[in-house]
Amino acid sequence: SLSSERSKVSFITGGVLILMYVANILAGLTETLVNLKYFSFLYYYNANLAIGQGKTVEWAYLVFIGVIVVTFVAAAIGFKKRDIAV
């Protein structure tokens, strides 16, 4: 809702995912950066567990629902403040 260009939205989404991937890798490499793993969706969704055993971590749903609610509210506020050309 903040941008009318698809390329900007795709760039921001891709950038956020790449940053989360890098944070997940750095958290696994050094002990001093171990807390970075909490800022990555890759920590909350364990693909090996989901595909290999068909299980998911129940508390991860709360994280994803929280992110959905926060981004939805932010998008609604941004859309309401946006100047719509008629």
Side-chain angles (χ1 to χ4, degrees):
S1 70
L2 300 176
S3 175
S4 59
E5 296 179 28
R6 285 185 279 166
S7 61
K8 283 185 181 179
V9 175
S10 298
F11 180 74
I12 291 170
T13 304
V16 167
L17 289 175
I18 289 171
L19 286 174
M20 287 183 182
Y21 182 71
V22 169
N24 194 33
I25 290 175
L26 290 175
L29 290 177
T30 62
E31 289 240 353
T32 57
L33 299 175
V34 73
N35 290 331
L36 276 179
K37 67 182 177 185
Y38 300 115
F39 294 102
S40 174
F41 284 154
L42 302 173
Y43 172 74
Y44 300 104
Y45 177 72
N46 187 347
N48 292 332
L49 183 66
I51 294 171
Q53 300 176 7
K55 298 179 183 177
T56 58
V57 181
E58 288 80 19
W59 56 266
Y61 290 117
L62 295 174
V63 172
F64 289 123
I65 289 171
V67 170
I68 289 169
V69 168
V70 167
T71 55
F72 180 79
V73 169
I77 291 170
F79 186 75
K80 188 175 182 180
K81 291 184 178 185
R82 187 175 174 172
D83 184 23
I84 300 174
V86 178

